[in-house]
Amino acid sequence: MMAKRSTRSSLSLTVYLLLAILLAMAPVICLFSFIDYVEVRQELDTNAEEFRDQTESGIILSTNLVDTGLKLFDNTLNHDMREGFSLFIAEYERAGRDPAEMDLHGVKQQLGGDMDLYIINESGVIEYTTCPSDLGLDFREIPYFYDRITEIRLNGTFSADRVVSEIVTGELRKYAYLPSPDHRYLFELGLAESEFQQHRTALKYQDMARELVDKNPDVREIRVFDCLGTRITGEAHPDDGRRLPLARQAYQERTSLEMENATAGELIRYLFIDLTDSDYASDMSMVVELTYDTKAAEAKLAGMHDWHVSALLVAIFCISCLSALAAYTLTRPIRTLVEDVDTVARGDQDHPIRVSGGEEFVHLGESVSAMVASLKETLRKLRESEEEIIRHSHILEEEVRERTAELEESNRMATLYLDIMGHDINNANNVANLYSDLLLADLEGAPEAELLRKAKMGLTKSIEIVRNVSTIQHIQGGVPSPRAVDLDRVIRGEIEHSLDSRITYTGTTVTVLADDLLSEVFANLIGNAKKFGGPAVGITVRVEERGEEVVVSVEDDGPGIPNALKPRLFDRLVRGTHRAAGTGFGLHICRMLVERYGGRIWADERVPGEPECGVAIRFTLRKAGGGGSP
């Protein structure tokens, strides 16, 4: 028989050879292109960074120059402020060194009304002042400033400060400090902006910065913040809630920070400019926020990327064309050999194998010819083997049919015998049990009554065995088909069969998935409780709903079950140690039925921790109409 030809599609050797050449050359081309792209990108990044560094260095230099000029102007006001403290000290002495008795507004008028007076207590709080908006201002919130003015109060003399922004109003003021003679207070004078505004406006930080920024086209905007994070120049932004904390952080850490917003095409740098001067209490350092436009650089990179991609595609196309020509030429002998092999595979085993090309292809052709000859012999042997297998297959099929018929007859006879035992033997047992009851009533009190009771116990055990065997036959009779069963009706039906027992049951409305054999579970469990607990045993049946399941418990207050026996209690032919132990089938049947319904069963202590106070047999059933029910 000819072997069936595989229909799986496959690429030709020419294509594989072409792909191999491309896979070898393409990475090299891509690598050269990528290296060139990276070098150009690094050059652009370096140029942009150097341009930014030049701009920022110019801003720092110009800021220092402007600050030096402003410092020279601020010092020209020191003489007038030094003389103003003489009236301040005289009023302090006149009031008996009690600031509450000082006429600060009178001193202000004597000084021309242009200077406000401040008295700062030991805690750094402005306790008295002629400027109501600054009353109660606590300099401890500005630690470095509080340390400086405390040093002046304790050890210093006259100390002039720079012209700075007033914390509450934001107006420019020239401040100076002098400790009180007893060093309990620090006196402060603040010259109003109106006295020096027209002379000080010639030098401005923003004008200096704007001139430098105009020379860098990548800078979109510049803003300047002082030591308190207050914007000195520049417009407000909707996202200042995110920007201002960075400006304050740059000042606190006394370093430069940056934040990139790729979506908006921005690079925001916070440049810290250190203008600290130990001769002054105020720190004139500031933070310059520079917003750079990165879109232009990105556009250049995008254009360069497109050019490199285009060049790469052209190079790959040219190499592909040359590779295809070379691959077609190199694989011609192989294509001829494949055509001849296909002809042989279609059944023409006498077709000659044509050979062309180099020495390797000649050896390959000879090997293929030898393989074809060997294949013809193998096919002949396979045909003979196939005929032998078919003959043996027919014999085996006939034997299987005979064995199947014999098994069916055996099963039929076994079922017949079980039916005879379940019907006839059970009827005989019931009749014998009935007569034993009648006879036992007549022999009550006689010596023969005890023997009759033992005979009756044997009949009861025989009835139980027949019922258990019949139940197992029904369980193993086929695939279960659970249906909705009224659990309350089943439980009450079994209780009615045990009217001579003390059974407690409150009822339930739940419907479960089971069949007609569910009553056997309760019959076995209640029967076991009566058998091992004695006539006076108390039995309780409980039903608890837990989600899609129902947990049923049959409890008794009898002698209980040893813990060592509980793990094997539901195994087949396992019997208890009690003298009334049964056949060992009852609880095994209960487990078979509960598992048949998709539940589980276990033995528990009626009173936790006290196994001698009774046993509780619990099992679960699935609710009907729930997640897994019909």
Side-chain angles (χ1 to χ4, degrees), residues 546-568:
R546 296 182 184 175
E548 298 298 324
E549 283 188 337
V550 175
V551 179
V552 182
S553 302
V554 178
E555 306 173 2
D556 66 71
D557 54 6
I561 298 175
N563 289 330
L565 186 60
K566 288 178 181 177
R568 301 183 296 108

Side-chain angles (χ1 to χ4, degrees), residues 124 435 438 495 510 513 562 604:
Y435 282 112
L438 296 175
I495 292 175
V510 71
L513 287 176
D604 206 350

Side-chain angles (χ1 to χ4, degrees), residues 511-532:
T511 304
V512 298
L513 287 176
D515 55 21
D516 293 337
L517 294 177
L518 178 60
S519 59
E520 291 293 327
V521 177
F522 291 97
N524 276 290
L525 296 181
I526 293 174
N528 276 359
K530 291 164 56 179
K531 181 188 303 180
F532 295 105

Side-chain angles (χ1 to χ4, degrees), residues 151-171:
E151 181 183 356
I152 295 173
R153 178 178 61 80
L154 296 176
N155 305 314
T157 56
F158 171 80
S159 178
D161 204 348
R162 298 287 303 276
V163 174
V164 296
S165 296
E166 204 273 334
I167 294 178
V168 178
T169 63
E171 298 179 355

Side-chain angles (χ1 to χ4, degrees), residues 331-341 354-356:
T331 58
R332 180 180 297 173
I334 298 177
R335 290 197 303 274
T336 302
L337 181 61
V338 169
E339 292 175 358
D340 294 340
V341 172
R354 294 171 292 173
V355 179
S356 62

